[in-house]
């Protein structure tokens, strides 16, 4: 469903949704319904006149529903904008404490820290805050390799915000000066065809400026020369490898659909879905609840959700097993009756 009315400007919520945008969204919804109706003209043509009239009334009701739904999306967008603005001071305080810019109220003062030892006195902020939070999330932990951890220790903050033209959202990863790459900010932008489904059009990542020999998305392979080869030096080549930082080099859709076959298209779709899953996990879980992921408290909540889903699946499997057992019981009863019949027949023949 098109969401063209979901336009807002963070600094000015009053102008977030104007009449023109609202009309545009409603018209888009109506156009979509008309297009869908056009695709199924064969169904309508086969209906009797009375039933067709009833369907037309149902379509009018559907149109009224979609107008209300459009208003819902508008109000939700404005509400999200309002609370994103209210969250910002809290995120700023979190940034200061995590990075040692400011000290939290009730934290030990410098004198007390000196008494506890030089090591504690030198430690600022919360070391490896974002790395730990991300590793505690099941989706992200699968993407982070041991080699990645060295670079992710320099991660200072993660932010996100909506974009309007084209619609979607952008993630920003802020890094301290580090020995791995020159960039201080890495970004990932998602362009959405439909935000509410959601349907991803494409994703764009920052090109990472790796320092020589520090690239984490490639590994160096050395091969010994063959015996008798004139070149006695080992052969070296680079090969792509697993890394969280591949996240900034997302899969790309070819400009020409004819350049990709069915199997490749399915593989590309799976890659894009996985890429969006990572991005939305960072946006919806890690950024707003980073402290709970750091402490591990959020893991329990995630596990409970997973257990509920597993129980639902197990319930379906149990029902299937019961049906199979009932079927087996019926078969056993049939076998018993057949055996009794055979015995009676044999007895009669003997007589």
């Amino acid at each position: 469903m098109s969401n063209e009315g979901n336009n807002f400007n963070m600094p000015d919520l009053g102008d977030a949704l104007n009449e023109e945008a609202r009309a545009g969204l409603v018209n888009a919804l109506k156009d979509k319904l008309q297009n869908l109706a056009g695709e199924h003209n064969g169904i309508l043509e086969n209906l009797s006149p009375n039933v067709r009239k009833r369907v037309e009334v149902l379509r009018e009701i559907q149109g009224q529903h979609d107008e209300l739904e459009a208003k819902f999306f508008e109000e939700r967008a404005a509400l999200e904008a309002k609370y994103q603005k209210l969250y910002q001071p809290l995120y700023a305080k979190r940034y200061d404490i995590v990075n040692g810019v400011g000290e939290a109220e009730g934290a030990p003062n410098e004198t007390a820290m000196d008494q506890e030892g030089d090591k504690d006195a030198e430690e600022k902020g919360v070391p490896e805050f974002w790395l730990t939070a991300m590793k505690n999330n099941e989706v992200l932990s699968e993407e982070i390799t041991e080699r990645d951890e060295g670079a992710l220790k320099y991660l200072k903050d993660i932010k996100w915000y909506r974009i309007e033209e084209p619609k979607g959202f952008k993630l920003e990863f802020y890094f301290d000066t580090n020995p791995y790459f020159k960039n201080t900010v890495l970004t990932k932008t998602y362009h959405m065809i439909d935000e509410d489904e959601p349907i991803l059009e494409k994703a764009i990542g920052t090109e990472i400026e790796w320092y020589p020999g520090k690239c984490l998305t490639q590994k160096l392979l050395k091969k010994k020369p063959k015996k008798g080869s004139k070149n006695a030096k080992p052969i070296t080549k680079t090969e792509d490898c697993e890394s969280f930082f591949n996240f900034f080099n997302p899969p790309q859709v070819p400009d020409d659909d004819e350049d990709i076959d069915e199997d490749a298209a399915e593989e590309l779709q799976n890659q894009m879905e996985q890429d969006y899953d990572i991005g939305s996990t960072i946006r919806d879980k890690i950024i707003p609840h980073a402290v709970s992921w750091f402490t591990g408290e959020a893991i329990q909540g995630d596990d409970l959700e997973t257990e509920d889903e597993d129980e639902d699946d197990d319930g379906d499997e149990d029902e299937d097993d019961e049906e199979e057992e009932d079927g087996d019981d019926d078969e056993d009863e049939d076998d018993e009756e057949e055996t009794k019949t055979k015995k009676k027949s044999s007895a009669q023949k003997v007589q």
Side-chain angles (χ1 to χ4, degrees), residues 161-170 189-191 195:
Y161 58 90
R162 290 190 182 276
I163 56 174
E164 293 302 324
E165 295 297 337
K167 289 192 175 298
F169 66 93
K170 186 175 185 178
T189 305
Y190 289 92
H191 293 172
E195 287 186 286

Side-chain angles (χ1 to χ4, degrees), residues 227-239:
K227 291 182 178 180
S229 174
K230 294 181 180 179
N231 186 7
K233 294 182 179 180
I235 301 170
T236 60
K237 68 173 185 176
T238 57
E239 185 178 273

Side-chain angles (χ1 to χ4, degrees), residues 94-103 123-126:
R94 182 177 70 186
Y95 173 89
D96 288 346
I97 295 171
V98 166
N99 295 286
V101 177
E103 201 60 71
E123 197 171 44
K124 293 183 178 180
V126 183

Side-chain angles (χ1 to χ4, degrees), residues 3-187:
N3 192 12
E4 294 178 15
N6 189 7
N7 291 322
F8 62 86
N9 185 351
M10 289 289 291
D12 188 358
L13 294 176
D15 295 333
L17 301 162
N18 54 41
E19 292 297 330
E20 184 178 353
R22 181 180 294 107
L25 179 55
V26 172
N27 289 333
L29 291 167
K30 288 181 177 179
D31 289 342
K32 183 175 180 180
L33 284 174
Q34 291 172 358
N35 291 336
L36 289 172
E39 292 174 3
H40 300 285
N41 273 338
I43 297 175
L44 295 176
E45 289 173 359
N46 293 329
L47 298 175
S48 66
N50 287 336
V51 174
R52 195 181 305 169
K53 287 180 182 178
R54 294 172 193 140
V55 172
E56 290 300 327
V57 174
L58 290 174
R59 291 180 65 196
E60 290 179 7
I61 295 172
Q62 183 67 55
Q64 294 171 12
H65 169 277
D66 291 338
E67 288 183 10
L68 289 174
E69 188 175 39
K71 292 178 181 178
F72 161 71
F73 288 137
E74 293 170 1
E75 292 178 14
R76 186 179 71 176
L79 193 62
E80 286 180 351
K82 172 186 175 181
Y83 278 91
Q84 280 297 328
K85 191 172 182 180
L86 294 174
Y87 294 149
Q88 296 314 307
L90 302 178
Y91 292 156
K93 289 180 181 178
R94 182 177 70 186
Y95 173 89
D96 288 346
I97 295 171
V98 166
N99 295 286
V101 177
E103 201 60 71
E105 293 182 7
N109 56 35
E110 292 183 5
T111 305
M113 291 172 67
D114 289 340
Q115 293 174 352
E116 291 175 4
D118 294 337
K119 183 178 178 181
D120 289 340
E122 292 173 1
E123 197 171 44
K124 293 183 178 180
V126 183
E128 302 180 20
F129 176 82
W130 290 100
L131 170 60
T132 304
M134 292 167 66
K135 284 178 63 179
N136 280 337
N137 178 272
E138 186 177 6
V139 172
L140 301 183
S141 63
E142 294 179 359
E143 305 300 318
I144 298 172
T145 68
E146 190 174 346
R147 296 173 70 219
D148 293 331
E149 293 186 17
L152 289 173
K153 289 177 182 179
Y154 292 91
L155 183 56
K156 299 165 60 178
D157 200 9
I158 311 176
K159 297 180 180 180
W160 81 275
Y161 58 90
R162 290 190 182 276
I163 56 174
E164 293 302 324
E165 295 297 337
K167 289 192 175 298
F169 66 93
K170 186 175 185 178
L171 296 169
E172 295 181 335
F173 298 75
Y174 292 82
F175 284 85
D176 204 349
T177 303
N178 65 82
Y180 293 89
F181 46 81
K182 297 179 182 178
N183 315 65
T184 56
V185 182
L186 300 179
T187 65

